[in-house]
Every structure is written in C-alpha cells, then in structure tokens.
Amino acid sequence: MLLIFPPVAKPCEPPAGIALLSSALKENGIDCKCIDANVDGLLWLINSVGKDKATDSWTRRALKNRAAILNDLGNPDLYTNVDRYHQRVYDLNHLVAVSVDRSRFRISLSDYSDNQLSSVDSTALLDSAASYRENPFFPYFEEKLRPVIESWNHAWIGISLCYLNQALVGFALAGWIRDNFPGKILVMGGGLISSWMSRPDFNNPFSSLIDHLVKGEGESPLLALLGKPGMEKKHYVPDYGFADNYDYIAPAKILPFRASIGCYWSKCRFCPEKAETRPYSTQRADRVLGDLDVMVENHNPGVVHFIDNAVTPAFLHALARQACAFKWYGFVRFEKDFADPQFCRALKQSGCEMLKLGLESGDQKVLDDMGKGTDLELASATLANLKAAGILTFVYLLFGTHYEDEAAAYRTLDYIKAHKSDIDYLNLSVFNLPKFSEDAKGLVTHEFYHGDLSLYLNFEHPGGWTRRNVKSFIDKEFKKQLGVGSRFRKNPAFFSSNHAMFFNNLDGPQTHIQ
C-alpha cells in the first residue's frame, strides 16, 4: 500500500500516523511505502520560485539566500539568536507565499487557504478534486508523485488527512489520482476524517471519489480491507524508515511517538474530542517504554515528540527512571507529581527539555466549571518546580468560554503576571464551541464556518462576553500589560511549540509574547 501525507502541515517532523500504519502493514506481510508529500511539496514550492518573482528587495534577498536559509534552520547554532532565527523563518515563508497565485491562495509553512473553495464544505472539496489542475501543488504531483505511483505495482493508495490545512490539497491529490490512475483503490483516513465521520449527521458525500473512508485508528481497518482481519495489535512501533528520504526543517531529527490513544482525563467540557467520544487506550508503561526503546534503536532520533493528548503520570515516572539517549517534550496535565521538585529534576535528567501545559484559565471557578480538574495552587508549584529544574514551560490559555466573564479573564491576567518568572512561552486562544458537544445544546448558537463539515459554532455568551470583547481584551489588555519587561519568550513563528524547545539554552533577556 502506498501511504501519502499531503500538504500543508509544519514541515519539521515526519507524520506519526503513516509511520504506525506502515509498521502494522509490514508486520503482517503487506508491502508498504510512505510518502511525506507535505515537506517534499513545500520544499518543491520553495525551490520552484524563479527570478521572475524577484520584483522586490525581500524576495530578491530570500532567493539569494535560499540554500543558506534552509541550512541555517538545520543548524542548532541558529537557535541561540531569536531575531536571526525569525529573519530566516520569515524569509523562507515568504518564498512559500510568493510561489503561488496570491490573489487566490494563501500558503505558509503552517497554513493553506483558497478564497474560492472552503475546507469545511464537501461540495468545495469535491470541486477541488475535479479542478486539481488549478491546485498550486499540481505541478508537484506531476513531477514528483507520478513516477512513484507509476512504478508502484499495487492498487491500494491511502491519503492521511490530520489537519484542516491538508483538506483541499488532499482532495486535489485524490482527484488527480482518480483521473490519472483509474485502477487505483483510494482510502482516506486520519484525524480530520475521523472528526468528520463523528458528526451524527455524516452521510459520506465522497463515495464517488474515495473508495473507503477510515474512522479512528487505521491499523485494524486497513488490515481488514487488505485481507488480514484479526491480525491487528493495540500498539505498533512506528516505522520511520521513510523519514530519512526527506529534509525536515529542524536542527535535530525529531520523531513523534504516541504512548496512548485519546485522553486519560476525558472530562474537560470544552474539548472537541469529548464530543467525538474517542475512547482512551494505553498499555503498561513498561511495555510502551519498550516500544519506544525499539523505535530509538531503529531510527536514532535526536528529539522525541510525545504526541499524546497528555502523557500519563505512569509513563512520566517510567521516563524519569532512565537517562534517555534523546531530548524530549510533550503535553502533560498539572498532576500532583510535579509538586515534587525531585521528580521534576529527574525528568530533566531523563532528557526532558520542555513540557506543554493546558492551564486554560487563572480563575479557579472557571477551571472547576469546565471540568478541567486543575488546582491553581498545584499549577503554581508545578511551574516553579519545572523552572527550577531547567524545563521550559509552554502554557496554553483559552479565553471566551461561556464559563468565563470579563472579571474572570482579568483574574487570569493577574495569575499570569504573578507567575511570569516561571512561564517561558504563552499560547493564547479564543474558544470555539464544538458543534456537537453537550454545552452546545444549552446555548444560542450560530454557524462559525458555513459548510456541512464544520466542527465548531459561534454562540451568544450568557454574560455578554462576546468574541469581539475577548479579542479586544487579549490585544489591548493582556498583551499590553505583559508585553514589556515580562521576559516571556517569543513563540517561534509558524513552527510554534515544535521549535520552542530548541531555545532552551538561550541566554539573556527574552522578548515578548505573541
């Protein structure tokens, strides 16, 4: 089976989904090849920019330094200078942007949009498939993917869509394959497809284009489709052999690893996965650690990115008991284990460089009402202990839930101001209401994005804390009060938390929040 991961996603690490599928298929005797068309396609766009585009000084500079930019972003030395790093990233992103028709398409290193077609409308997605020649990646399909598919002697092709930014390109790819290789059998899966299929009103609008849609973890369905029913296992060791064929934009070899499926907490009322009723699944920490050891032995990563919704305390303790041969980071909850400074130091000694933490709010009542299960006193101790241990913290805040009002938002501001010395990065988000959540039933709602595949709603806040008010508060109050002299690190442009840990050895005062 040929597995393809289409553009656009952050091109700094290989996709975990097709690596797991590849492992499952190969272990069951099925020939498999993985193509990361995301990083390959973006680099193709970057390298396709010709001198005819050099109509301004920025483009001329970026073109002149194109090779040096890519080389520098792969050099750890660049990550000791925030300003120089951002110049390189913005120049590289500019080459991506000018490689296409900017009157219609907006493409960056992390985003894709088309002002004529919507990513959340099934008719528009089918139009993207039918008009694949208009897609900016069509020449890439012809030049790079055609020889691979022509030489592939098997009928099955899988397309993995994890992010909304991949949807229009993924369907253009499907339309191109259907038109040019009519004998191929198309399967489409991934996190985005699973979310769409979880809608209670989903009635597969893609049956004329896609032969099989796969919901949830793909190993078992694919094995069944390919004549190996009952051969699946709960966990496979990811097969990242294909990643050696690509030049990822990062200063180290990053490999994603998933120790669990779903979320072990699963009580946050605002979480979209709760609306999808995705079951939690994991294995014993020692078994998962064994799988990790095999992946590390096979592929020798410099960094492991744990992509769990939240790494479990049991697995964190397993990591803390050993000195890993790699650096690592991932998402965790504010658990009581972090109140122990010795445990935090052990995590650092194991290779932990950064932890991402979903604080969401600095108001205890808001946290309680949203079912977050976070105690602010414990959160304070956690942040202080991680800072003392030398572990970066990337803290996520969520404004505008119907549990929050303006006074609660100011209490969040006060909490962050009181703990600014213990927080390295901040990610500020405005709440989108999951369309089929329990909370949506009790609110007056409006369509957020028009389209039959939209997953979110706008709503009338019961306390009048409107989306416009929330955005104004973030820009005019929160950022203004924390922007000067706060020492928060500037989030890496486009790559955000995926590059953030590489700045752990940064010296001197930091810049500002975004």
Side-chain angles (χ1 to χ4, degrees):
M1 187 172 198
L2 196 63
L3 297 172
I4 305 176
F5 186 73
V8 169
K10 298 173 188 175
C12 51
E13 62 188 46
I18 62 174
L20 282 167
L21 294 175
S22 173
S23 178
L25 296 177
K26 288 179 179 178
E27 283 193 31
N28 288 281
I30 297 170
D31 196 12
C32 180
K33 181 181 179 68
C34 294
I35 299 176
D36 190 343
N38 174 55
V39 65
D40 201 33
L42 285 171
L43 289 173
W44 188 91
L45 285 184
I46 290 167
N47 289 316
S48 72
V49 178
K51 293 182 179 179
D52 60 305
K53 298 283 188 179
T55 57
D56 59 272
S57 59
W58 188 3
T59 307
R60 286 193 293 270
R61 184 186 73 215
L63 274 174
K64 179 182 177 181
N65 298 319
R66 177 164 45 193
I69 291 169
L70 289 167
N71 182 68
D72 285 352
L73 285 166
N75 187 339
D77 291 343
L78 180 67
Y79 296 76
T80 61
N81 187 319
V82 173
D83 292 336
R84 189 162 177 264
Y85 165 85
H86 276 100
Q87 182 189 48
R88 291 310 208 192
V89 171
Y90 284 123
D91 283 354
L92 188 66
N93 187 75
H94 182 67
L95 291 177
V96 175
V98 301
S99 69
V100 303
D101 176 5
R102 287 191 284 178
S103 67
R104 175 175 175 181
F105 300 100
R106 293 186 62 184
I107 304 182
S108 74
L109 291 164
S110 60
D111 198 10
Y112 178 97
S113 63
D114 179 341
N115 63 22
Q116 294 183 17
L117 298 173
S118 167
S119 299
V120 294
D121 184 277
S122 61
T123 300
L125 291 170
L126 291 172
D127 286 345
S128 182
S131 60
Y132 61 81
R133 290 178 179 84
E134 299 176 12
N135 192 277
F137 289 95
F138 167 62
Y140 166 76
F141 299 163
E142 288 287 339
E143 180 178 323
K144 299 295 291 289
L145 297 187
R146 178 177 287 279
V148 177
I149 297 177
E150 286 178 343
S151 64
W152 187 250
N153 295 322
H154 306 291
W156 294 79
I157 297 180
I159 299 174
S160 176
L161 299 184
C162 295
Y163 309 108
L164 198 59
N165 293 326
Q166 294 177 285
L168 288 169
V169 181
F171 274 83
L173 173 61
W176 175 75
I177 293 172
R178 179 63 72 212
D179 208 15
N180 289 271
F181 306 94
K184 299 299 184 184
I185 303 172
L186 285 176
V187 183
M188 189 173 280
L192 179 63
I193 298 298
S194 296
S195 294
W196 285 341
M197 295 179 72
S198 294
R199 291 175 56 109
D201 61 349
F202 184 79
N203 185 22
N204 187 6
F206 308 125
S207 57
S208 62
L209 175 69
I210 308 298
D211 297 292
H212 302 278
L213 294 179
V214 173
K215 179 182 177 182
E217 311 313 311
E219 296 93 321
S220 176
L222 279 187
L223 288 170
L225 284 171
L226 295 168
K228 299 280 186 176
M231 298 297 292
E232 69 277 0
K233 297 189 297 185
K234 288 186 178 180
H235 284 268
Y236 286 92
V237 179
D239 172 21
Y240 284 111
F242 68 92
D244 294 333
N245 299 322
Y246 300 103
D247 295 319
Y248 292 96
I249 301 173
K253 183 179 183 179
I254 310 171
L255 294 185
F257 183 85
R258 184 186 65 193
S260 61
I261 300 169
C263 178
Y264 70 88
W265 178 249
S266 297
K267 297 177 184 177
C268 297
R269 295 175 62 91
F270 63 87
C271 180
E273 288 200 14
K274 184 176 177 63
E276 295 174 20
T277 62
R278 190 182 189 189
Y280 170 71
S281 174
T282 190
Q283 292 192 357
R284 288 176 57 90
D286 56 352
R287 167 63 190 276
V288 179
L289 195 60
D291 289 347
L292 175 62
D293 289 341
V294 172
M295 185 193 80
V296 171
E297 182 178 354
N298 289 343
H299 304 296
N300 192 31
V303 174
V304 171
H305 174 196
F306 291 107
I307 57 173
D308 305 51
N309 288 37
V311 182
T312 66
F315 190 63
L316 288 173
H317 277 278
L319 288 169
R321 288 192 291 269
Q322 67 175 40
C324 299
F326 51 84
K327 303 294 186 181
W328 62 270
Y329 76 101
F331 229 117
V332 298
R333 287 179 46 79
F334 286 98
E335 296 286 1
K336 64 181 184 301
D337 307 81
F338 295 114
D340 180 2
Q342 185 174 347
F343 175 67
C344 295
R345 289 194 296 270
L347 287 177
K348 175 64 176 180
Q349 292 169 2
S350 78
C352 180
E353 290 293 303
M354 185 178 77
L355 291 176
K356 300 190 289 181
L357 301 116
L359 178 63
E360 318 307 354
S361 175
D363 182 275
Q364 189 62 58
K365 185 178 185 304
V366 171
L367 292 172
D368 294 342
D369 289 348
M370 65 170 53
K372 183 66 183 176
T374 297
D375 176 79
L376 284 177
E377 290 188 8
L378 174 60
S380 300
T382 298
L383 294 170
N385 289 338
L386 292 175
K387 171 63 72 174
I391 297 172
L392 295 176
T393 53
F394 202 114
V395 174
Y396 291 72
L397 298 176
L398 183 63
F399 294 97
T401 67
H402 58 287
Y403 306 109
E404 177 191 70
D405 56 17
E406 185 175 6
Y410 272 98
R411 284 190 284 273
T412 296
L413 172 59
D414 291 339
Y415 182 89
I416 298 300
K417 288 166 67 175
H419 297 81
K420 61 186 179 182
S421 62
D422 294 332
I423 298 172
D424 295 293
Y425 297 98
L426 280 175
N427 185 85
L428 314 179
S429 297
V430 180
F431 176 64
N432 294 328
L433 179 67
K435 197 164 193 175
F436 299 100
S437 65
E438 292 181 12
D439 289 352
K441 300 174 184 177
L443 296 168
V444 178
T445 60
H446 309 282
E447 288 293 336
F448 195 75
Y449 298 109
H450 292 287
D452 59 321
L453 299 175
S454 174
L455 298 171
Y456 296 99
L457 292 167
N458 202 348
F459 65 97
E460 296 183 14
H461 194 283
W465 186 225
T466 67
R467 194 175 185 87
R468 176 178 295 180
N469 291 339
V470 171
K471 289 183 175 181
S472 177
F473 166 79
I474 291 174
D475 291 335
K476 297 180 180 180
E477 294 294 332
F478 195 96
K479 290 183 178 181
K480 183 178 179 181
Q481 293 196 37
L482 292 176
V484 179
S486 62
R487 297 179 63 87
F488 288 104
R489 295 167 182 260
K490 186 176 182 180
N491 292 354
F494 304 106
F495 293 98
S496 190
S497 63
N498 297 77
H499 273 182
M501 64 153 277
F502 295 110
F503 294 92
N504 201 2
N505 296 319
L506 198 63
D507 295 323
Q510 304 308 316
T511 50
H512 57 275
I513 66 170
Q514 289 181 317

